[in-house]
Amino acid sequence: MGEILENKIETIEEKTVLKLRKPVMIDGEEKKEINYDFENLTGQDVDNAFAAARKNGYMINGPYEMDPILGGYLFCEAANIDYSDLKRFSARDFKKAGTLGRNFFITDLADQAEDI
């Protein structure tokens, strides 16, 4: 029984979708939802997100784990979209995407704390 529950949870986690409150045009196509996958990101992807933020003039100050803008850049890596696409999201959708990226960092920190 426990194995069946674990498989359902894994399947749900693999299908991660941000449902947009307001559709946005990406690559000439109207999107109402954005698929994303944090679990398959690599260190290079995280580095790419930070590099894109710096390249766009964003100054990284303070703890990156709490930064919603860096969370947005990381979300873009997980969703395989450009940050310029994210900037066209409604403010609420933009905030959700940034929070998802930020939560990825924060949850990871909580998991590490449990291991100590």
Side-chain angles (χ1 to χ4, degrees), residues 1-60:
M1 179 83 167
E3 187 176 327
I4 293 171
L5 181 60
E6 281 182 29
N7 287 338
K8 284 186 178 181
I9 291 170
E10 286 175 19
T11 302
I12 291 169
E13 287 177 357
E14 287 173 14
K15 288 195 133 192
T16 46
V17 175
L18 171 62
K19 293 186 186 275
L20 301 175
R21 292 175 67 99
K22 294 183 179 178
V24 65
M25 295 295 285
I26 297 178
D27 296 330
E29 184 180 331
E30 183 179 77
K31 299 281 188 172
K32 295 181 180 180
E33 57 186 36
I34 305 292
N35 295 315
Y36 63 92
D37 181 5
F38 287 106
E39 293 306 314
N40 287 313
L41 290 180
T42 64
Q44 183 63 56
D45 295 320
V46 174
D47 188 50
N48 291 346
F50 280 62
R54 286 188 303 271
K55 180 181 176 188
N56 287 330
Y58 186 70
M59 297 296 295
I60 301 169

Side-chain angles (χ1 to χ4, degrees), residues 39-106:
E39 293 306 314
N40 287 313
L41 290 180
T42 64
Q44 183 63 56
D45 295 320
V46 174
D47 188 50
N48 291 346
F50 280 62
R54 286 188 303 271
K55 180 181 176 188
N56 287 330
Y58 186 70
M59 297 296 295
I60 301 169
N61 296 316
Y64 67 88
E65 300 92 347
M66 301 303 291
D67 192 318
I69 301 298
L70 287 176
Y73 277 97
L74 188 63
F75 176 83
C76 289
E77 287 292 320
N80 198 30
I81 63 172
D82 192 76
Y83 191 74
S84 63
D85 295 324
L86 182 66
K87 291 193 315 186
R88 288 193 307 278
F89 283 21
S90 71
R92 285 183 184 257
D93 292 333
F94 181 92
K95 181 177 81 168
K96 276 194 240 175
T99 299
L100 287 167
R102 192 180 69 196
N103 286 349
F104 175 75
F105 283 125
I106 293 170

